[in-house]
Amino acid sequence: MNELQSILNDILNRTDDLKAILVTDKFGVIIAKATTPDLPPQTLEPAFAATFGVASDQCSKLGLSRTNTILSTYDRFKLLQMNCGAVVLTLVGGTSVADGTLFAVGNDAEAAAKIVVEGVGMIAGDSSKKDVQF
């Protein structure tokens, strides 16, 4: 977990106007996080992080297949949520962060999500989880 926290903190510190990186399960339970003091507090609520699963399910019902990434823009911040196998990666940025920057940071943060997915596979005793593709 120390390696995971180190990766998340490094990404957060090197990206201007990035407020948080959250690694959650599909229900929004936070597994790991890196945040800044000016993070909107509601973003740490499980219901907030779980919106990805709900939106993804709705897209599937429309025949759009499985959703891998959703970018949402709000008045005060932007939210990028990515499906990373057994976990969801959520990036919260301020309004000045470029959408492309969020996607680039998300791609970098997949390494952090992969650590969690591999850990889940080891706990479950399923070595096939180590080869999860993102």
Side-chain angles (χ1 to χ4, degrees), residues 18-73:
L18 187 61
K19 309 289 184 195
I21 303 171
L22 308 173
V23 179
T24 65
D25 68 6
K26 67 180 181 177
F27 302 109
V29 176
I30 296 173
I31 298 167
K33 66 180 178 178
T35 63
T36 60
D38 58 341
L39 175 69
Q42 67 270 25
T43 60
L44 295 177
E45 295 292 325
F48 185 84
T51 58
F52 178 82
V54 174
S56 182
D57 287 346
Q58 291 304 313
C59 288
S60 294
K61 290 177 184 177
L62 294 171
L64 299 174
S65 74
R66 185 175 173 183
T67 303
N68 292 322
T69 307
I70 295 176
L71 175 66
S72 306
T73 304

Side-chain angles (χ1 to χ4, degrees), residues 89-111:
L89 179 66
T90 301
L91 303 167
V92 181
T95 56
S96 69
V97 69
D99 296 349
T101 299
L102 283 177
F103 280 99
V105 168
N107 289 333
D108 289 346
E110 279 185 343

